[in-house]
Amino acid sequence: MSAHDAVPVSLAEIARIAGVGRAAVSNWRRRHDSFPTRIGGTDVSPQFSLAEVEQWLRDNGKLKDIGGRELLWPRFEALGSRNESGLAIAEAARRMRSSRARIAHPELSAQARDLVAETAKVGREEGPRETFEFLLQRWLETHVRQLSTTPPQLATLMARIALAVRLGPAQGGLALLDPACGTGHLAAAVVQEYDGPGLELLACERDPALAALTAGRLEFIAEDRDIRTRIATADTLREDPFAGAKADIALCNPPFNERDWGYEELATDQRWTHGLPPRTEPELAWVQHLLSHLKPGGAAVVVLPPAVASRKAGRRIRGSLLRTGALRAVVSLPPGSAQPHSVSLQLWILRAAPDDPAAAPPSQDALLVDATGFARSATREPSPDWGGLGSFVLTAMATLDQADQELPKGAVRVPLLDLLDDEVDVTPGRYTAATAEPSRKELAGKWDEFGSLLTDLADHAQHLSVLDFEAGTPQTTATVGDLAKAGALTLRAGQQPPESATPTRGAAVPLLTIADLLHDGTPSGLVPTDSAQAIAEEGDVVVAGVARAFKAWVHEGPPMALGPQLYILRMDVEKLEAHFLAGCLRAPANGRQAGTHASSSSRIDIRRLQVLQLPLEKQTVYAETFRRLRAFEELLTAAHSSGKGLASDMSDRLATGGLTT
């Protein structure tokens, strides 16, 4: 059996290879006796031989115009190791650019080397750059939980900000530094946005696979352009490969919350001109690292978690950054702008002092911009309105050195005297909170929104009020424990993460706890994806096992870790419908009968919760009604909040007079 024969593929992968939906593949499997037999997996998630599937698709005319690259990807995935598959894709990029290129990664297995050679051949036939980008995207999608990439829209915004706020022309071209480049999204954005002569890209990444993929990506981008690239594999803070180099702009999305960043061995490092970063403040080490590499007047934009703006341990360094004018602006981004998606990350805009002091007057204030309102509504997961967000932030940045220029609403200049207090808190929302009375237009808009909520609420109420229920013998039910024993679902409990489980670069997911549910339902913590935490995937049912926070819902969005007393139920989709299951579980009477005792602090025995026994087609009908009932509850909450806000705004307006009717 060849290596190709041994490559397993799922139904979803077969569908992608053939360019059809998964339902079509399931239909082929039922209707055609000649369809390849299962070689692994389970009845719910079977796996098949790639070679047999490819031959069957060809024999039955199902491949259509799908290129060879679709057939390549399962073989990369079959290499098993994230690092080896990444290095193999990077090696294939080198071969596609030059068939005589010597192998740069001798550690690759014979199977990987054969795949590299075949990929180079396919790439030369179907387009080298297109083939590389296809494989890179599939690799990123497959390992999304282990990687932290900068979304292209955010990378573009960061590049535009840096190019806009740097002072003076670049001498002999533009130099960019990205000391934690990942797979090169930020450098690629600069190439796209910079239209001047000469561009030098300095990038560093400690993960060899990511560094190799960045090199492959930038080599393709640099074709037919006056671009020089230098990609290094190193731990930048400990061993700076570009020590002494200066850049016109620097962009960075560094690792968050790393305690082992080199605090002891770097205690006397000359980069810490604003103070030695505390062990718990590695992000402030990255900030000073970027500043140390800027040319006079150069600008840096860095992605940081919001706590860096206010943590007590970093206040002295924040104060020094403000006093010297190095920290010029802070932008609060809407949730979903980058991983972790549930957190409102920040952009810090830094600038080195120019050679000519007249080029920019001494800083007397800092620009704080709250862009958290640019989130798309009615989406299942946090998603920014990138068009509106980019326009708003760049408009605010255009006023950075224009003290007399009007700022857009949501941006404010804060005098340094107000910032340099005991906290030195530079969180934009603290200073941009609306204090003015709502205008006539704003009030009208809020009344329209409230009216729309009431209309939707009435629509759901009308539908629900006419539902009829048969009297008679109660339906048969089964407990969650029974369903688990029968294989209809699997049950996994969340747990308290160990104190040592601190997230590292690209390996963090949000952590939801019971305390978060009782507050606003937003995850407040992060845990590494390689920890033993229970991780809820999209489509899983999540149940809170405490009476005071009892609820059940279908998780919709990116992966999320669960804390103690939270549970994941993962269904066999051929036996249970997710919204039907969640609707049955969250019935208040169900929670009461499964409680351990009557107090609000009692726990819910998840295995005792009851679920109706219905065929799958009838579950779908119930699921739609459960969805409508859930929407009705959410609209009630939204209407209550909107109505209270309107009453408050109207009270303020009335108290100031001016009533005309």
Side-chain angles (χ1 to χ4, degrees), residues 36 222 409 516:
K409 186 176 180 180
D516 295 332

Side-chain angles (χ1 to χ4, degrees), residues 17 58 92 189 287 314 390 398 440 468 476 486 519 641 653:
I17 291 170
R58 293 190 187 281
V287 165
R440 178 190 302 177
D468 195 14
T476 304
H519 182 236
S641 176
R653 287 305 306 267

Side-chain angles (χ1 to χ4, degrees), residues 209-224:
L210 299 184
L213 288 167
T214 295
R217 175 183 236 164
L218 296 183
E219 284 171 1
F220 278 119
I221 291 175
E223 286 182 327
D224 304 322

